[in-house]
Amino acid sequence: MGGRMRLKTKLNQVALQLVLLVIGLFVVLPIWGILRLALDGSLHSRATSFRLFPQTWSLTGLLKVLESPYQSVVFSRLLINSLLVSISAALLAIIFGMMLAYAMARFRFPGKKLGMTVVLLTAILPPIAFVIPLYVLMSALHLRTTLLALVLVYAVFGLPFCIWNLRAGFLAVSKEVEEAAYLDGAGPWATFIRIVLPLASPSIFVAGMISFLLAYSEFAIGWLFVEKASNVTLSMAVYAMVQSGNAQPWNMLGSFIILISIPAVVIFLLFQALIVKRMMFGYLD
Amino acid sequence: MRYRKLAVQIVLMLLVVGLSGFLRWKAVNTLGIDYDEDDYLRAAQQFSTLIKTRDFAGFLETNYRPEHPQLSKILLGLSLLPEKDYPLVQDSPTTAGPNVFLPRPLVKNARMLNAAFGVASTAAISVLNPIGGLLQAVHSFNVKYTSEVMLESVPAFTSFMVVLFYLLWRKEKVSRRRQTTWLILSAVFLGLTAASKYMYAIVGAAVFLDWLLLPRQEKPARGAKWLPALWVLSALLVFFITFPYLWKDPIPRLLDSVFYHVRYSTGAAEVQSANYPVWQPINWLFFSPKIWESDAFIFALDPLITLLALFGLVRLWKKYRVFVLWLMIGIVFLLFWPTKWPQYTILLTAPICLAAAEGLDLLVGTPLRGLFTRWKHRSEETAKPAKYEFRKVLPWLIPGLIFFTLFTLVPLFYQFGVSLTDSNSNSLREAMQGGISRVLAGGISGNQPVSLQEFPYTSNLLHYLGFSNFIPLIQYLEQTGVFSYNLIWTLLSVLLQTTLGVSAALLLWQKRARFRSFWQALFILPWAIPEMIGALMWRNVFLPETGWLALGVAKYGSSFPFAFLADWQNTPEKTLVILLIAGLWYGFPFIMLAASAGLKFIPAEVMDAASIDGAGGWQRLRHVVLPLLAPLVLPAMILRAIFTFNQFYLFQAFYQFSGTLATLSYNFFNTTGYFIHGQFSISAAVNMITLVILLIFVLFFIQLEKDINGGTHAVEN
């Protein structure tokens, strides 16, 4: 390879890295905007002048969030509420979704095609489309302001997605394996639990994660239901802090935002390939 | 058999033309006097007088409202000949309101002439596609502006004839003489179009482009290379002949006439005060003038026709590409054209109605025909497919089905019920006690009369409104342009996301790209961050006064990067830009990941083979990489389109309470917001509209997939 050739490749590489850097800056810009706030100990209210970096680096914002994130409610209470609601909602969506998905993937029954269209349609509707009736229903059951209502509502949001995805997951499990288990004398439940579940576990895991994150990061609809401070979730508390504007230093707000996005980011980064595959509604199978 | 088909088509055409005539006749008689009608009536009167006094030399000097050519006005003048003379309508500035004292007999004659051309357009479209003709017949904007003393009706007709004759020319394979005739007629009509109203001459550009895009093997048979140029020249000649005002002093007068608009659009008070956003032409496509004058129109289907047209574009492209080109050139033109008057919609009605006819056929016609053939061949179907596995499936189905029905399906049906009432936060107590079903039962059985309530609803008793609840909502959506905004947002956003996503994937895929895994992990971040957190992050960048950008501009002035966006909240265009920036950030990683997954499947041999064949970088991309990516990127785009259409948190965080239907629904519902709140039934109605649109979306893709796989078409013949 001649010197000119090498120079050309080098220049290409520099140009390529520059373009990637521009995209990278675009990606990082809003994240850094919040991080800068979170790490600035000098803030007493909103940021009043333009700075690329914190004036005084400190973690006081984070500490304050851990101390009193929302009214008189302690952080652990919010965390427990969030986990309780998200995990229960995800479990409900997974359990019911799994059964319907298995039925749709494996058996012939009348109305299956229509059922699948309905599931697809409900999967692509915005969550707000289910809120009014659930609001009235939960009010009538005197459950509206409780965590149970949130669990049910978030489970409803996650269910259609779970059904659609798990169906694709179950379809990917070869039928021959199941039939072999039958021949060995395993009953339908045993086959499902011992053979199908383990094979489909990546899809189940991803569907569960997505449902979990859906519930974990939801706040707008939560605020339509919950009234008591002790029933607030982390995401709802963040929004409350945003709404209250300059009442507290914005390093607190920044820290709170960073703090609650950590779990989601970790999950997505760890399982990206799997999640993309499942998010494509089975198109990649 | 062939004659029977022809007879059916003729009967259909007659019905459509009859309907078109009736609707326009009704409009001619009931529409109030509109802006500009006085101007064009005055112009027509002048020509009428010139003809009556046989002062034909006067044609060389007369062109009232000189920004438009003469032909339409001369034709309007002809229509006034049978009437006695009235004093000339006075010359009033363009800012003047409608002149209601115009001589009615003249107005009626001029309107009838335009209506006749409107009906002629219907007939011409029906020749190509009777359903398209039907849609044009009922299109309320078309009814309005082809039934008023405007200049739209004549060029709308002639421009369609340009395309019709062009298509006939393309279809004619045998006779050279007939070919020549069709081509000459097409050129003549193009000249007439330009001489009626300049804007409509864009149809010439569409035909020209279509001509250039003709496959090579078809071109030689279609005559020499200079034929398109000759076509344009003959059109210009006809334009000149039918525009006598130009004969004396052609170039200066033409320039003066054409460039009038530059002055008008930057200076005129009415353009300033209208203050329409750049995309107002698209808002008009989702609007019906029945809102302005309810008596004059029977149908208000314009928004639906536009929606159907969106779904018919692909089919229309395959059948008659020239109309899609017409539509695209027209929309781009109107987006750049500084004035945004609603009458310009007529420029687009013909291609839109034809596309809508294809969309209707795709969504309704083809499935119905499929059902019909299956029903016809039902006896031929061999033994039933394998038996249902009832006993096996029930234990799986029952628990899930109970939950799904109880918490997902029943709510949707309940919501439909809510949308037929005036349910609001004040009547929640009654709704909780089963009031909705009680009121519905009363309403549907007719025991309880439909009671019209004032919007926004505040009654603490429930009432049955039926579908009349949708009327104020649809009017609200049309007037505020929420619906078209939602679509524009989705389209632009997905386009940007796809561009950046695929580009990023291609860049990272380069063999020698260094730090690949670092960049990839970084680029995925926005996708991993929950939507609501991302919205808050962008808020912190863009919010007025407290945002990064605003603080930067306050400190460094207008030299700060992107300073021009700092006052985004004052202009809808800039607001859209900042939302698109945030939307791009959210959406591109997903497309990038899908594209990367696709790139992994491209074997190195394929690329090597392509380079050996001498394909350059761009050619390899265009012919090898992109086609291989499409099967993965398209579904990802569809998913992104659905999410983007439903985008909520972003709009909520930026206080764009009516940015998308989902945001609008939330804020109508929200019992404590700043918005018109606690409107449960309106919120439910918004959701019903969303449901219908998404349902059409799903059906469209199912049908498109069938189309591509050649499913149902084989049985048609």
Side-chain angles (χ1 to χ4, degrees):
Chain A
M1 212 188 268
R4 257 181 80 179
M5 209 50 180
R6 214 176 304 155
L7 185 69
K8 209 182 151 199
T9 0
K10 257 195 183 152
L11 279 178
N12 269 342
Q13 185 66 240
V14 171
L16 177 67
Q17 293 298 327
L18 275 179
V19 176
L20 291 173
L21 183 69
V22 170
I23 305 178
L25 281 179
F26 169 60
V27 166
V28 168
L29 176 87
I31 304 174
W32 180 248
I34 286 289
L35 264 175
R36 172 205 108 60
L37 285 183
L39 299 174
D40 196 334
S42 71
L43 291 173
H44 298 292
S45 170
R46 69 182 182 89
T48 47
S49 71
F50 177 81
R51 275 173 198 292
L52 275 182
F53 298 98
Q55 196 173 5
T56 43
W57 296 79
S58 92
L59 284 175
T60 45
L62 183 66
L63 296 175
K64 266 195 225 156
V65 166
L66 292 176
E67 201 176 296
S68 66
Y70 176 69
Q71 293 186 8
S72 57
V73 188
V74 291
F75 185 83
S76 60
R77 179 75 248 166
L78 296 179
L79 183 65
I80 290 171
N81 284 347
S82 261
L83 291 181
L84 199 68
V85 167
S86 323
I87 293 175
S88 319
L91 278 179
L92 271 183
I94 281 291
I95 292 171
F96 289 116
M98 206 159 62
M99 305 185 92
L100 280 177
Y102 191 64
M104 286 181 170
R106 274 294 179 265
F107 303 105
R108 279 182 295 274
F109 57 92
K112 185 167 139 179
K113 235 179 168 178
L114 178 71
M116 271 161 50
T117 313
V118 170
V119 169
L120 182 62
L121 187 65
T122 50
I124 63 175
L125 276 178
I128 181 67
F130 300 96
V131 167
I132 300 165
L134 293 175
Y135 186 88
V136 177
L137 180 70
M138 295 299 160
S139 303
L141 295 173
H142 298 289
L143 287 176
R144 200 193 88 215
T145 59
T146 64
L147 285 179
L148 181 60
L150 283 189
V151 170
L152 285 172
V153 170
Y154 292 156
V156 169
F157 294 168
L159 183 64
F161 178 82
C162 282
I163 300 175
W164 195 262
N165 270 277
L166 291 173
R167 186 183 148 267
F170 288 137
L171 280 177
V173 174
S174 96
K175 221 172 173 176
E176 285 76 43
V177 183
E178 266 181 73
E179 274 156 12
Y182 269 127
L183 293 181
D184 288 348
W189 287 102
T191 317
F192 180 72
I193 289 168
R194 291 210 202 113
I195 310 290
V196 181
L197 267 193
L199 284 174
S201 56
S203 331
I204 297 173
F205 173 75
V206 169
M209 276 301 138
I210 300 281
S211 310
F212 170 83
L213 289 178
L214 200 82
Y216 174 80
S217 62
E218 209 297 321
F219 67 85
I221 287 154
W223 274 120
L224 295 177
F225 283 77
V226 166
E227 280 165 4
K228 269 190 295 185
S230 60
N231 282 349
V232 165
T233 66
L234 281 174
S235 299
M236 287 163 69
V238 171
Y239 193 61
M241 201 181 269
V242 171
Q243 294 293 55
S244 67
N246 306 325
Q248 67 285 311
W250 278 33
N251 53 9
M252 240 177 115
L253 179 61
S255 307
F256 207 172
I257 289 176
I258 298 293
L259 190 66
I260 78 158
S261 42
I262 287 172
V265 171
V266 169
I267 290 171
F268 267 76
L269 288 186
L270 283 180
F271 305 105
Q272 41 166 301
L274 206 56
I275 296 177
V276 173
K277 205 174 154 188
R278 296 267 67 91
M279 288 282 274
M280 300 279 284
F281 281 63
Y283 266 108
L284 283 173
D285 292 308
Chain B
M1 202 57 192
R2 217 186 125 189
Y3 288 107
R4 216 177 76 187
K5 230 177 175 176
L6 194 69
V8 169
Q9 179 152 8
I10 289 174
V11 170
L12 269 179
M13 260 183 71
L14 287 177
L15 284 175
V16 167
V17 167
L19 179 67
S20 171
F22 169 69
L23 292 174
R24 279 158 184 78
W25 179 75
K26 184 176 156 67
V28 163
N29 290 310
T30 42
L31 276 170
I33 301 290
D34 203 349
Y35 293 95
D36 297 353
E37 281 194 279
D38 54 336
D39 293 334
Y40 302 131
L41 196 66
R42 180 183 153 98
Q45 272 182 309
Q46 289 177 342
F47 287 116
S48 165
T49 313
L50 288 179
I51 298 169
K52 274 184 184 167
T53 55
R54 311 207 165 271
D55 176 14
F56 292 110
F59 275 74
L60 305 184
E61 295 301 337
T62 309
N63 192 18
Y64 181 63
R65 305 264 84 218
E67 70 273 24
H68 299 299
Q70 284 172 303
L71 186 59
S72 259
K73 301 172 199 164
I74 296 175
L75 288 170
L76 287 174
L78 287 176
S79 79
L80 304 185
L81 287 179
E83 289 299 323
K84 71 178 174 76
D85 286 325
Y86 285 83
L88 193 61
V89 173
Q90 62 174 357
D91 184 7
S92 55
T94 50
T95 42
N99 178 353
V100 290
F101 304 111
L102 296 179
R104 291 295 164 148
L106 297 191
V107 171
K108 179 150 183 188
N109 274 21
R111 283 183 166 190
M112 286 300 273
L113 177 97
N114 270 342
F117 275 99
V119 175
S121 294
T122 315
I125 297 173
S126 306
V127 171
L128 217 53
N129 184 340
I131 303 296
L134 176 70
L135 295 175
Q136 189 264 3
V138 299
H139 195 278
S140 57
F141 256 132
N142 196 287
V143 170
K144 178 174 165 69
Y145 290 115
T146 58
S147 311
E148 286 182 347
V149 191
M150 298 297 250
L151 304 181
E152 321 298 318
S153 196
V154 175
F157 169 71
T158 54
S159 57
F160 188 79
M161 296 310 280
V162 174
V163 182
L164 199 61
F165 285 125
Y166 165 74
L167 289 173
L168 280 172
W169 167 73
R170 274 185 54 182
K171 215 176 157 192
E172 181 59 57
K173 304 266 190 232
V174 193
S175 158
R176 258 283 142 92
R177 242 183 62 197
R178 252 179 277 164
Q179 276 191 10
T180 321
T181 317
W182 296 141
L183 203 58
I184 289 176
L185 278 172
S186 160
V188 167
F189 272 100
L190 182 59
L192 296 177
T193 305
S196 303
K197 198 169 181 184
Y198 299 127
M199 188 184 279
Y200 286 77
I202 59 149
V203 75
V207 168
F208 197 77
L209 198 59
D210 187 69
W211 203 336
L212 293 184
L213 291 174
L214 279 186
R216 250 178 235 150
Q217 61 271 27
E218 214 180 315
K219 264 181 191 160
R222 297 271 157 244
K225 268 185 187 162
W226 40 264
L227 204 54
L230 193 67
W231 180 75
V232 172
L233 277 179
S234 1
L236 274 175
L237 187 68
V238 174
F239 168 71
F240 188 69
I241 293 171
T242 50
F243 193 177
Y245 183 67
L246 291 188
W247 293 354
K248 245 184 155 176
D249 210 0
I251 306 295
R253 282 189 175 180
L254 183 63
L255 289 181
D256 203 40
S257 172
V258 171
F259 285 105
Y260 170 88
H261 264 284
V262 179
R263 277 173 280 138
Y264 176 70
S265 56
T266 48
E270 65 270 28
V271 178
Q272 304 285 326
S273 67
N275 196 21
Y276 289 126
V278 167
W279 58 82
Q280 183 63 31
I282 297 174
N283 286 0
W284 290 131
L285 291 178
F286 287 96
F287 184 89
S288 164
K290 194 171 164 66
I291 291 178
W292 294 332
E293 279 171 282
S294 161
D295 306 337
F297 309 99
I298 295 176
F299 302 102
L301 301 173
D302 306 20
L304 190 68
I305 292 174
T306 311
L307 192 66
L308 285 173
L310 272 180
F311 293 110
L313 280 179
V314 179
R315 268 201 189 180
L316 190 64
W317 176 267
K318 284 183 195 151
K319 253 192 202 165
Y320 306 113
R321 185 181 50 200
V322 59
F323 287 110
V324 183
L325 291 173
W326 177 354
L327 190 59
M328 290 191 318
I329 295 174
I331 286 182
V332 171
F333 173 81
L334 289 181
L335 288 178
F336 281 98
W337 193 243
T339 42
K340 310 279 178 190
W341 302 142
Q343 59 263 36
Y344 300 160
T345 313
I346 312 309
L347 185 67
L348 307 173
T349 29
I352 281 193
C353 289
L354 284 168
E358 296 297 334
L360 198 64
D361 188 65
L362 180 87
L363 293 169
V364 184
T366 312
L368 277 185
R369 278 197 297 275
L371 276 184
F372 180 69
T373 29
R374 228 190 300 165
W375 179 76
K376 235 165 76 182
H377 298 280
R378 68 195 180 283
S379 51
E380 295 165 27
E381 263 178 37
T382 41
K384 283 218 159 182
K387 266 192 265 165
Y388 294 132
E389 298 156 303
F390 265 124
R391 284 207 4 225
K392 277 193 206 160
V393 76
L394 281 184
W396 297 105
L397 217 47
I398 286 174
L401 209 56
I402 290 177
F403 189 86
F404 188 72
T405 311
L406 199 63
F407 289 104
T408 308
L409 287 183
V410 169
L412 279 183
F413 281 106
Y414 182 84
Q415 173 148 256
F416 177 58
V418 171
S419 73
L420 303 179
T421 68
D422 69 338
S423 170
N424 64 80
S425 49
N426 292 334
S427 53
L428 177 63
R429 181 175 296 277
E430 203 189 337
M432 273 162 52
Q433 292 156 352
I436 300 282
S437 41
R438 207 161 46 234
V439 171
L440 280 179
I444 292 165
S445 64
N447 291 332
Q448 197 177 351
V450 171
S451 62
L452 289 178
Q453 298 289 316
E454 200 70 29
F455 171 80
Y457 308 132
T458 50
S459 168
N460 52 9
L461 290 174
L462 282 172
H463 298 90
Y464 176 76
L465 301 186
F467 283 102
S468 64
N469 184 33
F470 282 74
I471 294 170
L473 172 66
I474 287 175
Q475 289 188 352
Y476 178 90
L477 292 179
E478 288 182 19
Q479 276 166 339
T480 49
V482 173
F483 188 70
S484 47
Y485 189 79
N486 202 167
L487 285 179
I488 294 168
W489 151 255
T490 309
L491 215 69
L492 287 180
S493 189
V494 172
L495 216 66
L496 286 174
Q497 292 168 24
T498 310
T499 314
L500 185 60
V502 172
S503 314
L506 286 173
L507 287 175
L508 290 175
W509 177 65
Q510 306 251 318
K511 255 187 210 153
R512 286 180 288 270
R514 303 192 59 185
F515 316 116
R516 184 182 302 159
S517 27
F518 164 74
W519 289 120
Q520 171 134 357
L522 186 73
F523 293 174
I524 290 171
L525 270 184
W527 175 62
I529 291 172
E531 192 191 331
M532 148 256 191
I533 302 283
L536 294 179
M537 287 175 168
W538 279 107
R539 214 175 107 103
N540 180 51
V541 174
F542 280 128
L543 216 59
E545 290 178 38
T546 52
W548 234 8
L549 180 64
L551 292 175
V553 171
K555 195 167 170 185
Y556 298 103
S558 57
S559 59
F560 193 76
F562 295 98
F564 71 96
L565 280 177
D567 62 337
W568 59 267
Q569 71 277 19
N570 300 324
T571 32
E573 289 88 0
K574 286 182 188 174
T575 309
L576 183 63
V577 168
I578 64 141
L579 290 168
L580 282 172
I581 291 174
L584 174 64
W585 186 83
Y586 278 126
F588 92 90
F590 185 61
I591 305 266
M592 182 190 80
L593 286 169
S596 305
L599 286 170
K600 274 183 208 139
F601 292 134
I602 299 180
E605 297 87 62
V606 176
M607 294 304 288
D608 293 342
S611 353
I612 289 166
D613 287 350
W618 168 248
Q619 278 178 317
R620 263 179 307 188
L621 187 70
R622 166 83 185 72
H623 295 289
V624 181
V625 179
L626 290 185
L628 283 170
L629 281 189
L632 284 170
V633 172
L634 276 180
M637 279 172 76
I638 292 168
L639 279 182
R640 281 309 313 165
I642 291 166
F643 281 112
T644 312
F645 184 80
N646 291 336
Q647 196 114 42
F648 164 71
Y649 291 106
L650 179 63
F651 286 84
Q652 191 70 13
F654 279 93
Y655 306 119
Q656 303 297 310
F657 293 143
S658 47
T660 59
L661 290 177
T663 324
L664 186 68
S665 169
Y666 177 88
N667 288 298
F668 269 136
F669 176 81
N670 189 354
T671 47
T672 55
Y674 319 105
F675 202 69
I676 318 166
H677 52 267
Q679 297 296 309
F680 293 2
S681 74
I682 296 286
S683 172
V686 175
N687 292 334
M688 283 298 123
I689 291 175
T690 314
L691 182 86
V692 170
I693 291 167
L694 290 176
L695 182 67
I696 294 179
F697 212 65
V698 169
L699 290 178
F700 172 70
F701 283 112
I702 292 174
Q703 198 58 44
L704 206 64
E705 219 167 28
K706 269 190 198 162
D707 260 21
I708 290 165
N709 301 335
T712 48
H713 275 286
V715 278
E716 261 182 52
N717 304 314

